[in-house]
């Protein structure tokens, strides 16, 4: 197959469909997909990342305007390699059929049943720009582990990374195994309309609705990894220094452009000033300067920076108090960079856009509360978040928040870390997504759980009275079964 190219950077639906059909045909010809074949594809994916670490870091940084290569290795590349290691350790176990108990007395008569995890076929991956390597190839490894083929649509907001990934994948894989497609909105629309055996989309909820509607036309099963407003709750007995250090690290990572970033804080009213001071001092310690600091990432583009500034301006106009955390007292307006300092907003309310939209940048609203019941009520009155974070030591307080709120995942006494654990599922709920992947949950997400029942030699239907003409044996079976 030739590399997919198109005028004006777009790829037509016919071209995508041809690539899909080639993968589907190769998939059917290979069945059953062995452990060795799956691990070979997983290992090649990880080795591709390892071999091309520097080039990938440079491409991502160029797409962002600047992004720390250390951060790209930590958040993008290490995740993919770690995902491969997890499969190497566990895939044989995940692939084993699961024996299931048979209804009495079928098991005694020799019947048996099991669930066999079978690959679905060709998995489409629509990846976002914020972690372009991680969120393209982590799902790919999960799909390979389940025995599938993979096609990836890269975001048009990271064109250099997408082009490099397309070249590398073509070098390490046959197109019938894995293919990367680049292009803009028209390509994305066409991609979502393909009759995938499974489709995973990572991005915003607005686009997810269109992706899901397109998938529905083919009854394609979907995994949606979205986002939303992840609350960060500072408990009554939280250690302010440790808490604010960890919040600052999580919020400033990737300049807040993380679907799991702390979106807003909820702090006890009598500790608000200490928390804001702690955030500011810890940001200053981690990033003494920002504009020329290799450790601090740029906002992805000018349009996104304008949107973030618009959130700040709207909040201030409606009564919010802003604290700009600019440790080096730098002039951000006098630079070509899209870097932004952290802005902490106090006195926020529901009329402000910053409390209505996912922020996805270095802006941090702070709300106050009198008791944890208020916090629980506030969280439950809003969309289910992708992540929720609680800081505190009292077990009863932790359990109240864990038991009475619903979110995709939780990290206690830190932020974001639950996504880094390969044995935990990563996924949202409701407006923050559906389905989950990584680890055994990802294996099952990309597999079909096929029930296989084996009938014994004896004629079960006749013994149970299921074989017409019905009579006394039938009546006896129904009488036995129709009681608790």
């Amino acid at each position: 197959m030739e590399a997919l190219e198109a005028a004006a950077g777009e790829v037509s639906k016919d071209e995508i469909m041809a690539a899909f059909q080639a993968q589907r045909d190769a998939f059917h010809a290979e069945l059953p997909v062995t452990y060795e074949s799956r691990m070979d594809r997983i290992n090649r994916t990880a080795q591709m990342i390892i071999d091309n670490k520097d080039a990938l870091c440079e491409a991502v940084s160029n797409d962002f305007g600047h992004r720390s290569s250390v951060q790209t290795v930590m958040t993008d590349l290490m995740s993919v390699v770690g995902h491969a290691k997890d499969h190497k350790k566990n895939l044989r176990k995940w692939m084993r059929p699961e024996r299931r108990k048979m209804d009495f007395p079928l098991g005694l008569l020799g019947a048996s049943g099991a669930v066999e995890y079978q690959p679905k076929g060709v998995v489409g991956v629509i990846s976002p720009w914020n972690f372009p390597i991680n969120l393209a190839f982590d799902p790919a490894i999960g799909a390979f582990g389940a025995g599938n083929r993979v096609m990836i649509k890269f975001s048009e907001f990271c064109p250099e990374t997408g082009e490099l990934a397309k070249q590398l994948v073509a070098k390490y894989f046959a197109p019938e195994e894995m293919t990367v497609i680049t292009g803009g909105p028209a390509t994305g629309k066409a991609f979502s309309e393909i009759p995938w055996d499974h489709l995973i989309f990572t991005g915003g909820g607005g686009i997810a609705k269109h992706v899901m509607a397109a998938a529905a036309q083919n009854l394609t099963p979907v995994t949606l990894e979205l986002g939303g407003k992840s609350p960060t709750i500072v408990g009554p007995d939280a250690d302010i220094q440790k808490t604010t250090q960890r919040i600052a690290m999580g919020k400033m990572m990737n300049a807040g452009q993380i679907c799991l970033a702390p979106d807003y804080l909820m702090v006890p009213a009598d500790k608000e000033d200490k928390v804001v001071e702690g955030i500011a001092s810890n940001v200053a310690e981690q990033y003494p300067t920002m504009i020329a600091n290799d450790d601090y990432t740029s906002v992805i583009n000018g349009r996104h920076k304008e949107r973030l500034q618009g959130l700040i301006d709207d909040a201030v106009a409606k009564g919010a108090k802003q604290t700009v955390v600019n440790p080096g007292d730098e002039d951000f307006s006098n630079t070509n960079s899209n870097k932004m300092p952290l802005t902490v907003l106090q006195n926020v309310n529901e009329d402000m856009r910053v409390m209505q939209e996912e922020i996805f940048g270095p802006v941090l609203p702070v709300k106050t509360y009198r008791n944890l019941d208020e916090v629980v009520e506030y969280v439950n009155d809003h969309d289910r978040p992708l992540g929720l974070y609680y800081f505190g030591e009292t077990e009863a307080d932790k359990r109240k928040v864990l038991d009475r709120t619903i979110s995709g995942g939780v990290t206690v006494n830190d932020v974001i870390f639950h996504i880094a654990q390969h044995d935990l599922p990563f996924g949202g709920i409701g407006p923050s997504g559906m389905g989950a992947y990584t680890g055994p949950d990802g294996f099952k997400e990309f597999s079909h759980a096929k029930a296989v029942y084996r009938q014994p030699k004896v004629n079960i239907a006749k013994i149970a009275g299921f074989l017409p003409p019905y009579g006394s044996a039938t009546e006896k079976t129904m009488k036995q079964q129709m009681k608790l």
Side-chain angles (χ1 to χ4, degrees):
M1 286 169 55
E2 296 180 358
L4 296 172
E5 302 288 351
E10 299 288 3
V11 180
S12 72
K13 184 176 178 179
D14 288 344
E15 290 176 285
I16 301 171
M17 188 65 197
F20 164 80
Q21 193 59 56
Q23 287 205 357
R24 175 75 78 81
D25 291 345
F27 166 76
H28 285 145
E30 185 186 17
L31 288 173
V33 186
T34 65
Y35 166 83
E36 288 75 18
S37 292
R38 300 178 193 209
M39 279 308 308
D40 172 58
R41 291 173 183 135
I42 289 170
N43 287 333
R44 272 186 281 150
T45 303
Q47 196 62 52
M48 176 181 70
I49 300 300
I50 294 168
D51 292 346
N52 297 280
K53 173 178 71 71
D54 293 342
L56 288 166
C57 288
E58 181 180 1
V60 172
S61 183
N62 289 342
D63 283 332
F64 271 79
H66 172 74
R67 192 193 194 199
S68 164
S69 60
V70 173
Q71 185 181 109
T72 296
V73 172
M74 289 193 302
T75 59
D76 274 79
L77 311 191
M78 281 171 50
S79 177
V80 178
V81 175
H83 207 37
K85 291 178 180 177
D86 187 53
H87 277 71
K88 184 176 181 179
K89 181 179 179 181
N90 295 299
L91 184 57
R92 283 191 189 276
K93 176 177 64 178
W94 297 340
M95 288 177 63
R96 293 179 193 141
E98 294 180 4
R99 292 290 298 271
R100 299 292 177 91
K101 292 182 179 179
M102 297 296 96
D103 293 344
F104 180 83
L106 294 177
L108 296 177
L109 296 173
S112 67
V115 173
E116 296 183 0
Y117 290 99
Q118 194 167 36
K120 292 182 175 182
V122 181
V123 175
V125 178
I126 303 177
S127 63
W129 54 262
N130 60 324
F131 292 110
I133 306 301
N134 176 338
L135 296 174
F137 293 110
D138 263 13
I141 284 180
F144 279 151
N148 302 289
R149 306 298 175 102
V150 180
M151 292 178 63
I152 303 171
K153 164 63 175 71
F154 262 74
S155 169
E156 64 270 25
F157 291 115
C158 51
E160 188 167 327
T161 307
E163 187 60 36
L164 177 60
K166 182 164 68 173
Q167 295 172 10
L168 293 177
V169 167
K171 177 181 177 182
Y172 284 76
F173 291 89
E176 292 81 10
E177 295 176 296
M178 179 158 63
T179 295
V180 167
I181 294 174
T182 57
T187 303
K189 180 178 182 294
F191 193 92
S192 64
E193 293 171 351
I194 300 299
W196 307 105
D197 297 297
H198 194 102
L199 176 63
I200 176 168
F201 168 82
T202 305
I207 298 175
K209 293 177 182 179
H210 296 290
V211 170
M212 195 172 181
Q217 299 306 306
N218 297 303
L219 299 180
T220 296
V222 296
T223 301
L224 301 178
E225 299 300 345
L226 310 178
K229 302 189 71 62
S230 296
T232 302
I233 304 160
V234 179
D237 62 347
D239 182 311
I240 299 300
Q241 169 55 24
K242 290 181 180 178
T243 297
T244 54
Q245 181 188 60
R246 295 171 186 185
I247 292 172
M249 184 192 75
K251 185 63 178 180
M252 299 300 280
M253 180 183 293
N254 211 37
Q257 298 166 114
I258 306 175
C259 57
L260 280 167
D263 193 274
Y264 64 95
L265 303 189
M266 301 199 74
V267 306
D270 62 345
K271 295 186 177 180
E272 180 182 13
D273 290 341
K274 287 184 178 179
V275 168
V276 174
E277 290 167 6
I279 296 286
S281 64
N282 278 290
V283 168
E285 185 174 332
Q286 294 168 27
Y287 302 95
T289 62
M290 295 181 183
I291 292 176
N293 188 339
D294 283 345
D295 292 342
Y296 190 53
T297 295
S298 172
V299 170
I300 185 70
N301 55 39
R303 188 178 72 176
H304 189 44
K305 183 179 180 180
E306 289 177 9
R307 187 188 74 84
L308 291 167
Q309 189 59 54
L311 295 180
I312 297 169
D313 294 343
D314 173 77
V316 171
K318 293 174 180 175
K321 174 188 174 183
Q322 68 170 328
T323 300
V324 179
V325 184
N326 183 1
D329 195 25
E330 298 172 277
D331 184 0
F332 283 82
S333 65
N334 190 28
T335 173
N336 292 327
S337 169
N338 285 317
K339 287 186 176 182
M340 292 181 70
L342 174 68
T343 298
V344 179
L345 295 171
Q346 296 170 260
N347 304 328
V348 295
N349 61 57
E350 298 304 291
D351 292 332
M352 300 172 182
R353 287 174 51 211
V354 76
M355 295 306 297
Q356 299 168 4
E357 304 174 17
E358 183 179 9
I359 295 170
F360 225 70
V363 182
L364 185 60
V366 179
K367 286 184 67 67
T368 61
Y369 68 86
R370 291 167 297 179
N371 58 68
L372 284 177
D373 289 331
E374 282 183 26
V375 174
V376 168
E377 182 178 356
Y378 183 86
V379 172
N380 287 339
D381 281 346
H382 293 75
D383 287 345
R384 310 291 197 210
L386 181 60
L388 182 146
Y389 310 116
Y390 182 79
F391 289 86
E393 300 304 323
T394 302
E395 191 61 30
D397 290 343
K398 295 176 190 176
R399 288 285 9 141
K400 175 179 285 190
V401 173
L402 287 169
D403 294 342
R404 294 181 56 196
T405 64
I406 298 171
S407 60
V410 175
T411 293
V412 177
N413 283 323
D414 214 322
V415 298
I416 301 175
F417 265 83
H418 62 280
I419 193 180
Q421 312 312 306
H422 289 106
D423 205 40
L424 290 177
F426 170 51
I429 178 170
S432 62
M434 63 175 65
Y437 68 101
T438 71
D441 303 278
F443 175 81
K444 291 181 178 180
E445 183 84 351
F446 296 124
S447 299
H448 168 58
K450 183 165 70 176
V452 179
Y453 173 78
R454 300 181 187 277
Q455 192 74 287
K457 292 181 179 180
V458 297
N459 193 332
I460 298 295
K462 185 173 183 179
I463 293 173
F466 295 157
L467 189 69
Y470 303 129
S472 59
T474 310
E475 292 291 333
K476 182 179 179 182
T477 297
M478 290 191 298
K479 186 175 180 180
Q480 288 175 337
Q481 295 300 317
M482 292 300 295
K483 58 184 179 181
L484 294 174

